[in-house]
Amino acid sequence: MTPTTAENNQSRKRFTRRTLIQWLTYGLSAVAVVALSIPLVGYFFGARKKEVLWVDVDEVDRFPVNETRMKTFDNPLRQPWDGITALTGVYVRNLGATPQGEANFLVFAVNCAHLGCPVSWFPQSGLFMCPCHGGVYYANGERASGPPPRGLFRCAWRVRNGRLEVQAPHYPSLQDTLVKGDG
């Protein structure tokens, strides 16, 4: 016995619970795919070379020769949720002029190479010390003792119009140092 055309139309119009659950599943799956693909698309489009930002630290003449000073600044690489941590700093050591008469500096990130705690400079002993796990560094940034696997991270710097500028530092790691070839 074959169903009549009226029975076929009526069965098509009937909306069952199974049909509702199927459509909900399709809809939620589509939303999940879109939500999960947004970060992936952002990663691929955000992987282009970023602009290099330079931060003005101070006048070159304000750094006495062979003296280390900490300079803090508002990092332009900050995110809205960074809060007070966006206020970062570097240690600047003036090494004096080169034989060609150009300024020569050592600029270190404040982060310990072990776990990133901020190090402190002790001019009496000529050492940088990390309060977290006892890392110690010499005045030239090399590792002296403790758990750090390497010396302090060096920052790229330049002198423009008589002022010292550093490249805006990101959080350094062994895979992504602040200065290429540093390590």
Side-chain angles (χ1 to χ4, degrees):
M1 179 170 189
T2 61
T4 63
T5 307
E7 288 173 343
N8 258 349
N9 285 342
Q10 191 174 16
S11 67
R12 283 189 199 149
K13 290 180 184 177
R14 223 168 69 195
F15 194 72
T16 64
R17 189 179 328 167
R18 173 175 279 180
T19 308
L20 173 68
I21 291 174
Q22 277 181 323
W23 281 107
L24 276 175
T25 302
Y26 296 150
L28 291 175
S29 297
V31 168
V33 166
V34 168
L36 292 175
S37 66
I38 289 173
L40 186 64
V41 170
Y43 171 77
F44 286 119
F45 286 112
R48 12 176 220 260
K49 186 172 171 93
K50 295 195 178 3
E51 176 186 358
V52 175
L53 300 174
W54 291 90
V55 178
D56 181 52
V57 177
D58 208 344
E59 293 177 22
V60 171
D61 299 337
R62 307 265 328 241
F63 298 100
V65 176
N66 291 325
E67 190 174 306
T68 301
R69 292 197 173 167
M70 181 179 187
K71 288 303 212 172
T72 57
F73 52 87
D74 192 22
N75 196 336
L77 300 177
R78 73 182 304 165
Q79 297 296 325
W81 52 82
D82 286 346
I84 193 71
T85 60
L87 184 65
T88 189
V90 291
Y91 284 104
V92 179
R93 182 171 186 82
N94 186 349
L95 299 176
T98 64
Q100 293 81 19
E102 298 173 356
N104 193 14
F105 289 94
L106 276 176
V107 181
F108 302 112
V110 296
N111 310 96
C112 177
H114 179 227
L115 293 177
C117 295
V119 297
S120 297
W121 167 248
F122 291 91
Q124 304 85 351
S125 60
L127 298 171
F128 293 99
M129 295 185 190
C130 178
C132 296
H133 300 107
V136 180
Y137 303 90
Y138 295 115
N140 65 359
E142 296 299 316
R143 177 187 175 274
S145 70
R150 53 157 289 145
L152 289 172
F153 293 97
R154 293 185 181 191
C155 295
W157 61 272
R158 69 182 182 188
V159 175
R160 269 182 96 176
N161 301 325
R163 297 191 64 84
L164 178 66
E165 295 179 348
V166 296
Q167 189 174 339
H170 59 277
Y171 188 75
S173 68
L174 293 176
Q175 288 75 31
D176 190 9
T177 60
L178 295 172
V179 177
K180 297 301 177 204
D182 181 27

